[in-house]
Amino acid sequence: MKLFDEIPTQRPLTPRLDALETPDGLREMTLAQLREVADELRAYLLYSVGVSGGHFGAGLGVVELTVALHRALETPHDRLVWDVGHQAYPHKILTGRREALLGIRQYGGLAAFPRREESAFDTFGVGHSSTSISAALGMALGARAKGEKRRVCAVIGDGALTAGMAFEALAHAGHVNANLLVVLNDNEMSISENVGGMASYLTRILTSKPYAAMRENSKRVLSHLPGALEFARRTEEHVKGMISPATLFEEMGFNYIGPIDGHDLGALNQALEALRDQEGPQFLHVRTRKGRGFRPAESDPIGFHAITKLEKTPASAPRVDPVSAPATTATPRPKPKKYCNVFGDWLCDMAAADSRLIGITPAMREGSDLVRFSQTYPERYFDVAIAEQHAVTLAAGMACEGMKPVVAIYSTFLQRGYDQLIHDVAVQHLDVTFAIDRAGLVGEDGPTHHGAMDLSFLRCVPGLIILAPADEAECRAMLSTAYHHAGPAAVRYPRGTGPGSEIPADLEARLSIGQAETRRDAGESASPRVALLAFGSLNVPAAEVAERLDATHINMRSVKPLDREAILRAAHDHDLVVTLEENVVAGGAGSGVNELLAAARVEVALLNLGIPDAFVEHGKPAELLRDCGLDVDGIDAAIRERLASAAADVSPQ
């Protein structure tokens, strides 16, 4: 295996890879040639992420596994389902998208994850974890129902296997005796320990065709002897269980093989050839290493989970000697804090002030900025792994005992704990605070990761307080407000940085729930008079639009409850009321304003602006906001068009 210390800045030579437009050619190659393909694939993957940025630590770890799977399976006729999809870049390269990978996650380019619309080889669209076994089982049962002969394989990581959904699917697969192969890519969690020569030797025995034949023949012979078959089964189970986690999976009905070295193409080929045609549920456990082949990523797999594209210096740019460069007295401007950093600082500060605070996250410690909290308060920090449902109900149980749990969760992942939020928290009116990160359009990860619906699905939950900050200072204050509220409360904030407001050091709430803030009043001579009711992040463009149109700008702050007086006053004093939110229009904050005015029997022209009734593609947030008409120019144009239409309706004919 070729090792890299740096990401190539020039396209590497990849003759073997270039000759493969589809994986069919892999089945004609020798083992030595397959290893060449793997080396070239790793080199090209490194080069491509240097050009485009994106996930690559997981992909580097499954290069050999991807080659072996596409060689053993006749894809796309045989179904190959990847879990989450972070590791699917090598798969995309091998399935006709090599050059297109240079534009992955960019506006108009390849999606960050497998997607059915993109390729026949992408058999199931993914993005959230732990869905692969359920989907693959559905495909296997569908093929069986139609009488079709096809193999189905799910590839799942050890992290994704922590979710209950994965075990529900495993249990069902064993129950229905489906022809399904599950490959566990174990690259971090110590599910088992490979104990060296004995394990390798036994694995070679277990994956051999003679062993498989002997196993089946022995079953037929022993089936005629009372008790002998059960004795043989238990003996095999206990021997395998001494050196591998076979017992758990075999009790669920799977034939377990492994663990084997996931970077050994020879061992992978042998195991997959032995398993692919066997009947019933099969389980192959492979051990890999994230970032394999790129030394910096091997030593820091979390830091190199994904990278931004490399910045290239033009050849004509003058070189500056750092020693001889002129000194500057200018004070560097502090880098603005991301919203998640505002939350991370607040959490530590509030934990110091209140010993009842508990921090909970479903495997998003780094993303939600809980690192310092986990180190400072390890006994009050709970990472429950990829188990959003458990995270919410765990918090509910803690609240029952008088603790003050704070659940740090992405908007898109809170969808997975929705039933628990309603049934276990809201129905019982428990004191749980939800810090909802990545609200709105998050960018390059696309529709599976946009937090576009949380206001709609949260607003209908009785008793739940929902706050949306306009800037970093409000975010900190709202977190304190929600925390001190005696009941369920949520603060939803976007990814990345805000407008750069000064963040107070204190923990004062300073905000009244359900009270809006008027940031600008329309001029007395303004005609027609327009009121902008902005929620959360869209207060930034709203401020500029209000200046352009001489309009009133109200920062609504609270999505639930709404500021009734502010809304009624805006309707009374203005000709057009415009609601702005980075959430789908259907059922969102604007719908709440409409409902309030309808209930009060107030008639006024309304314009609800937000994310349209469509799944928004991937790209930079600014590009996506522009396409949704939620940037300054788009909002301005929509309002002017509405005013022009209204004027045309009342003009004399």
Side-chain angles (χ1 to χ4, degrees):
M1 177 188 297
K2 186 176 181 180
L3 297 177
F4 295 83
D5 292 298
E6 295 181 346
I7 294 177
T9 56
Q10 301 294 324
R11 192 196 190 288
L13 295 175
T14 56
R16 289 276 182 204
L17 192 60
D18 295 346
L20 290 171
E21 286 303 319
T22 67
D24 294 350
L26 294 171
R27 295 186 270 280
E28 307 301 322
M29 290 185 178
T30 65
L31 182 58
Q33 291 170 334
L34 291 172
R35 287 172 177 151
E36 291 176 12
V37 169
D39 283 342
E40 292 180 6
L41 184 54
R42 184 168 278 110
Y44 187 82
L45 175 59
L46 284 168
Y47 166 70
S48 69
V49 295
V51 172
S52 65
H55 307 103
F56 83 126
L60 288 171
V62 297
V63 166
E64 288 80 12
L65 177 60
T66 306
V67 171
L69 284 168
H70 277 294
R71 179 181 180 275
L73 303 174
E74 295 181 9
T75 55
H77 173 75
D78 291 338
R79 310 306 195 205
L80 178 58
V81 183
W82 297 93
D83 208 282
V84 184
H86 292 143
Q87 73 276 44
Y89 286 27
H91 161 79
K92 294 198 178 199
I93 293 172
L94 286 176
T95 53
R97 290 167 281 179
R98 182 178 63 252
E99 300 305 323
L101 198 75
L102 301 176
I104 195 169
R105 302 173 78 242
Q106 298 175 28
Y107 186 73
L110 293 182
F113 308 101
R115 188 172 182 182
R116 284 167 55 86
E117 297 87 345
E118 192 175 285
S119 170
F121 290 92
D122 292 357
T123 59
F124 196 75
V126 292
H128 290 189
S129 82
S130 316
T131 62
S132 61
I133 304 175
S134 295
L137 176 58
M139 294 174 187
L141 294 177
R144 185 164 76 184
K146 294 190 294 182
E148 295 178 350
K149 182 69 174 178
R150 73 170 82 248
R151 309 175 187 94
V152 182
C153 173
V155 184
I156 188 168
D158 53 281
L161 199 64
T162 62
M165 181 178 181
F167 280 91
E168 291 171 4
L170 287 170
H172 188 206
H175 176 71
V176 297
N177 197 35
N179 289 335
L180 173 69
L181 169 61
V182 174
V183 177
L184 171 60
N185 174 28
D186 180 4
N187 58 23
E188 188 173 2
M189 188 172 68
S190 296
I191 293 177
S192 69
E193 181 179 359
N194 191 333
V195 293
M198 182 60 182
S200 299
Y201 173 74
L202 186 58
T203 297
R204 287 196 298 271
I205 295 293
L206 296 175
T207 58
S208 67
K209 289 183 178 179
Y211 171 81
M214 179 191 71
R215 191 169 184 261
E216 293 304 313
N217 290 333
S218 298
K219 284 182 179 180
R220 285 194 291 270
V221 173
L222 294 174
S223 64
H224 300 291
L225 302 177
L229 185 59
E230 176 64 15
F231 175 77
R233 186 191 69 80
R234 288 186 176 276
T235 300
E236 179 190 42
E237 175 184 290
H238 291 146
V239 170
K240 290 167 70 176
M242 287 190 293
I243 64 165
S244 72
T247 304
L248 170 64
F249 300 110
E250 295 218 337
E251 286 295 332
M252 299 178 83
F254 280 78
N255 173 39
Y256 172 93
I257 299 297
I260 67 172
D261 182 355
H263 302 295
D264 184 339
L265 267 168
L268 287 169
N269 287 339
Q270 180 184 10
L272 289 169
E273 286 177 2
L275 290 174
R276 67 184 175 188
D277 294 323
Q278 291 194 31
E279 296 291 313
Q282 310 295 320
F283 195 100
L284 175 62
H285 181 177
V286 302
R287 300 297 302 269
T288 64
R289 188 169 183 180
K290 281 185 178 179
R292 181 66 168 172
F294 183 55
R295 288 190 178 95
E298 288 189 25
S299 60
D300 182 14
I302 294 177
F304 282 90
H305 171 68
I307 63 168
T308 56
K309 64 181 180 181
L310 299 180
E311 296 297 332
K312 297 181 180 179
T313 303
S316 59
R319 180 181 177 185
V320 179
D321 186 344
V323 177
S324 60
T328 177
T329 57
T331 303
R333 191 174 180 182
K335 189 176 181 180
K337 285 193 174 183
K338 297 178 180 179
Y339 278 101
C340 64
N341 303 142
V342 175
F343 165 73
D345 291 343
W346 171 85
L347 191 68
C348 289
D349 293 344
M350 187 60 80
D354 188 347
S355 61
R356 298 173 299 165
L357 185 148
I358 301 289
I360 301 172
T361 180
M364 286 291 132
R365 184 182 72 158
E366 287 75 21
S368 295
D369 197 20
L370 287 162
V371 175
R372 183 161 69 93
F373 178 83
S374 69
Q375 296 167 346
T376 308
Y377 302 100
E379 73 286 354
R380 293 157 65 183
Y381 166 73
F382 295 90
D383 184 339
V384 302
I386 302 173
E388 293 85 1
Q389 301 94 326
H390 172 59
V392 176
T393 303
L394 176 71
M398 290 178 171
C400 288
E401 299 301 318
M403 304 306 290
K404 295 277 287 181
V406 178
V407 179
I409 191 167
Y410 290 7
S411 170
T412 183
F413 298 139
L414 181 58
Q415 296 165 183
R416 307 183 76 164
Y418 187 50
D419 177 63
Q420 289 72 23
L421 184 148
I422 296 172
H423 183 271
D424 300 335
V425 176
V427 167
Q428 305 182 89
H429 198 68
L430 292 173
D431 194 356
V432 178
T433 300
F434 293 91
I436 305 176
D437 195 355
R438 269 60 168 184
L441 301 174
V442 299
E444 291 86 347
D445 284 345
T448 59
H449 283 62
H450 294 319
M453 304 175 192
D454 55 84
L455 293 185
S456 300
F457 69 70
L458 291 176
R459 199 174 62 79
C460 61
V461 179
L464 177 66
I465 301 301
I466 311 168
L467 306 176
D471 54 41
E472 301 90 337
E474 278 197 352
C475 185
R476 183 174 173 94
M478 285 182 179
L479 287 165
S480 292
T481 302
Y483 183 79
H484 290 305
H485 172 70
V491 180
R492 60 103 71 173
Y493 46 89
R495 182 182 189 180
T497 58
S501 64
E502 184 176 350
I503 305 170
D506 60 61
L507 288 167
E508 296 300 318
R510 291 196 311 277
L511 298 175
S512 297
I513 294 173
Q515 186 173 72
E517 171 203 28
T518 299
R519 292 194 165 186
R520 186 188 190 280
D521 281 313
E524 293 183 4
S525 61
S527 180
R529 293 175 62 81
V530 177
L532 305 179
L533 278 55
F535 295 86
S537 58
L538 290 193
N539 274 281
V540 175
E544 186 172 339
V545 173
E547 291 293 333
R548 287 187 183 184
L549 300 176
D550 190 12
T552 295
H553 170 204
I554 302 175
N555 169 22
M556 291 303 296
R557 287 179 168 167
S558 178
V559 178
K560 187 176 183 181
L562 291 165
D563 188 332
R564 175 183 174 84
E565 296 306 316
I567 293 171
L568 292 177
R569 188 167 54 250
H572 181 269
D573 296 341
H574 297 80
D575 302 299
L576 175 64
V577 173
V578 182
T579 63
L580 301 168
E581 61 188 303
E582 198 171 339
N583 186 85
V584 292
V585 172
S591 294
V593 172
N594 300 350
E595 293 160 10
L596 187 152
L597 291 171
R601 299 183 180 180
V602 173
E603 293 188 9
V604 65
L606 288 165
L607 175 61
N608 301 133
L609 297 180
I611 297 172
D613 187 24
F615 289 106
V616 180
E617 296 300 323
H618 57 279
K620 295 187 181 302
E623 295 170 328
L624 305 181
L625 288 168
R626 177 201 65 205
D627 284 2
C628 292
L630 296 178
D631 62 350
V632 172
D633 290 339
I635 295 169
D636 186 344
I639 294 173
R640 291 181 188 275
E641 181 181 346
R642 179 58 182 271
L643 292 173
S645 175
D649 289 342
V650 299
S651 62
Q653 298 297 320

